[in-house]
Amino acid sequence: MDRHVPEIMAPAGDRASFLAGVAAGADAVYLGLKHFSARMQAKNFGLGELSALTDYAHERGVRVHVAMNVLLKPDDARAAGGLMERLARTVKPDALIVQDLGLMPLARQAGFEGDLHISTLANATHPAALAVAQGLGASRVVLPRELDLDEVKLMAAACPQGLGLEVFVHGALCH
């Protein structure tokens, strides 16, 4: 039987919750920026602060995943690309979590070399979506919370080799 070790990911909406996630032993911390984030009610992070916190996390073996989980409008591409270029150069997070599939090639054009994850907000609810996500360069798909356990099992059974799945087990604690 193939066994998978669960990864513990902590949501961080501000510096205190970021540091708490690292101190509590999370494997990764995920967060949003001040722009292009679905969780605008959180304080979120500027690049300067996030760069220092990412260094702190990496020194402790904790990965940092930045959620850019919004729909990209045509006029947003230049600003999003510039932000991802600065993120890649100054912060060096381990992964970007994207909702809009157009952000994936834009991230690579901007020089981001980390993992690309498909956000739960992209609603990958059918097994065929997994192969499409992998073909676009995703290394992980975050399954929507609307799937029940049997549906999650079907997605896992259909998951292509080399593609990871992520499932929320705590509800929506993204603040």
Side-chain angles (χ1 to χ4, degrees):
M1 181 174 162
D2 188 21
R3 299 186 83 72
H4 299 280
V5 176
E7 177 182 44
I8 304 299
M9 295 188 49
D14 58 25
R15 179 182 182 84
S17 57
F18 186 105
L19 295 172
V22 172
D27 298 301
V29 176
Y30 67 96
L31 52 94
L33 300 172
K34 293 194 180 292
H35 303 285
F36 298 107
S37 173
R39 304 288 177 226
M40 295 311 295
Q41 71 273 23
K43 288 184 181 176
N44 291 322
F45 297 88
L47 295 183
E49 177 184 29
L50 184 55
S51 180
L53 287 170
T54 299
D55 288 345
Y56 176 85
H58 285 166
E59 289 167 2
R60 287 153 182 79
V62 177
R63 291 178 305 285
V64 176
H65 301 181
V66 175
M68 293 187 70
N69 51 355
V70 295
L71 295 172
L72 191 66
K73 295 180 181 176
D75 291 342
D76 292 338
R78 174 177 239 124
L83 179 60
M84 287 188 288
E85 186 277 326
R86 291 187 308 278
L87 189 65
R89 183 173 29 87
T90 63
V91 177
K92 299 178 181 77
D94 301 281
L96 290 181
I97 305 167
V98 301
Q99 175 184 6
D100 192 310
L101 301 181
L103 282 170
M104 296 176 72
L106 190 58
R108 295 301 186 218
Q109 291 168 11
F112 181 76
E113 297 177 356
D115 291 336
L116 295 172
H117 299 176
I118 303 292
S119 171
T120 185
L121 297 175
N123 295 314
T125 58
H126 189 276
L130 300 176
V132 170
Q134 188 176 46
L136 292 172
S139 60
R140 179 182 295 181
V141 172
V142 186
L143 296 177
R145 291 179 277 259
E146 292 79 11
L147 296 181
D148 64 31
L149 187 55
D150 288 335
E151 292 165 329
V152 169
K153 288 177 182 178
L154 287 172
M155 295 293 278
C159 191
Q161 179 123 7
L163 182 70
L165 293 181
E166 181 178 322
V167 178
F168 280 81
V169 295
H170 58 62
L173 298 175
C174 299
H175 305 298

